Amino acid sequence: KVIWTLLVTILGSASSLPVGDDSICTAEELAKYSITFTGKWSQTAFPKQYPLYRPPAQWSSMLGVTHSSDYSMWKKNEYASNGVRDFAEKGEAWVLMKEIEEAGEKIQSVHGIFSAPAISSGTGQTSTELEVHPRHPLVSFVVRIVPSPDWFVGIDSLNLCKGDHWMEDVSVDLFPYDAGTDSGFTFSSPNFATIPQDTVTEITCSSPSHPANSFYYPKLKILPPIAQVTLVKIKKNQLGLSAPYFNLPAKSNEVIDSIS
């Protein structure tokens, strides 16, 4: 009876634990990755209203975090935090960093923060390194599209752990998102706050369905990727030092369309 009672108690406790994508990670204690962001925002791929000056097309710095399923930096169809709003609209990171730090202190859901330098043109690369932990195997980040009202690209909770091992490498195509805090249609729209605030939505070739929208390409089925992110696990040599990492070559992203 005692053993049965203990078993029921243990199973009851286990069933009440939060279940997330990272709950079954049994990989080695830590893993390091290089993360490379590749901008593919060219005038050939995205000819409509392509910003050539004041300012020209470019990318903000990358701000990211490694975390557990208890934390969310941003999520599609949910409201952006004040920190994400400031970053998406103005590229200001202080409030977002404060939100990340507070989440880490309260529920220990954050393992680390990482950042990579801005890219001064629509195409190009920037990279940095990050560290993940079995209890914090998820990666999220944001990069602001410059210029834009409140548009950004990023990843929400990418899980680098698969059971008992870390993924060796992963590449993800990125598409533009609207933070839902500014109502501008074009890259150079003046500041016009969205009241009440809307949720984060993906921008497509037909949504928002308005000819003034800078990403409105009604003859396309889907937008081409505006950026790509690649994560590669850094291998350890016999001395325990990180092996050298080489940036992967950027893939072509030219789109031939009758409206170009």
Side-chain angles (χ1 to χ4, degrees), residues 34-56:
S34 61
I35 178 170
T36 301
F37 176 89
T38 303
K40 297 188 172 187
W41 185 17
S42 69
Q43 189 173 11
T44 304
F46 298 90
K48 186 177 181 182
Q49 301 169 359
Y50 188 81
L52 295 173
Y53 56 92
R54 296 183 181 179

Side-chain angles (χ1 to χ4, degrees), residues 41 51 55-60 144-148 151:
W41 185 17
Q58 56 190 279
W59 301 95
S60 76
R144 180 176 183 251
I145 298 173
V146 183
S148 74
W151 301 342

